[in-house]
Amino acid sequence: MKKWVAMLLAGVLSVAWSIIAFAEEADVKLQEVVVTATKTEKDPKDVTQAVTVITSDEIKRSGASNAAEVVKKSVDLNFQEYGPKGSTANISVRGSTAAQVLILLDGIRLNSPGDGGFNLTDLPVALDDIERIEIVRGPSSALYGADAVGGV
């Protein structure tokens, strides 16, 4: 009986020791992943479309007060601003109209059903809460519909 208790105690201790040993190896760094260009996770270098990813660190360093100011610094984007700075900013990509650029927030369409565009200064999220901004240039209507002719 004493042998049985000793073996059981040794087994429990070895399992506990292995759990502690594996718990110390929890520091894992994940690579950046782009989701929007193909609706599946891919490394940015494996995506065939022109994609720009703006990270939360870059957003904080930009000193911008809204999403329009952050995105404005990206290549191949045009802005139609109406009124004073920060009042209205519609985006167009590679010559498209604002109605041909789809704006998504966590996969939810933000484009207006009336005119098809979206005012980036009206983004319903604070800049501090944005994890990343992904910009996909070029036609994406096969994946996202007719309002993604210019990009997403």
Side-chain angles (χ1 to χ4, degrees):
M1 180 72 172
K2 287 183 181 182
K3 273 186 171 179
W4 175 253
V5 171
M7 285 183 11
L8 182 64
L9 182 62
V12 169
L13 288 175
S14 67
V15 169
W17 181 260
S18 65
I19 290 172
I20 292 170
F22 285 118
E24 292 176 5
E25 297 178 15
D27 291 341
V28 177
K29 288 226 174 207
L30 301 177
Q31 293 181 343
E32 181 178 280
V33 179
V34 175
V35 179
T36 56
T38 61
K39 284 193 173 180
T40 58
E41 293 183 3
K42 289 204 181 237
D43 193 300
K45 67 181 181 225
D46 296 332
V47 177
T48 57
Q49 288 180 286
V51 176
T52 301
V53 178
I54 304 170
T55 63
S56 61
D57 291 336
E58 293 170 333
I59 293 170
K60 289 173 186 166
R61 280 185 275 144
S62 72
S65 61
N66 59 45
E69 291 178 13
V70 173
V71 176
K72 186 184 282 189
K73 297 174 183 171
S74 295
V75 180
D76 290 336
L77 299 180
N78 300 318
F79 282 85
Q80 294 88 33
E81 295 183 294
Y82 307 100
K85 182 179 178 181
S87 59
T88 302
N90 292 328
I91 186 174
S92 68
V93 180
R94 294 184 174 174
S96 66
T97 66
Q100 295 172 324
V101 177
L102 178 61
I103 307 296
L104 299 172
L105 177 64
D106 291 334
I108 299 170
R109 292 171 184 266
L110 297 179
N111 292 50
S112 166
D115 65 2
F118 180 74
N119 179 4
L120 282 177
T121 59
D122 290 341
L123 196 65
V125 175
L127 281 182
D128 293 339
D129 296 335
I130 297 176
E131 180 182 324
R132 71 177 176 267
I133 298 172
E134 297 176 7
I135 303 168
V136 181
R137 292 171 195 78
S140 299
S141 57
L143 291 175
Y144 294 101
D147 52 352
V149 173
V152 180

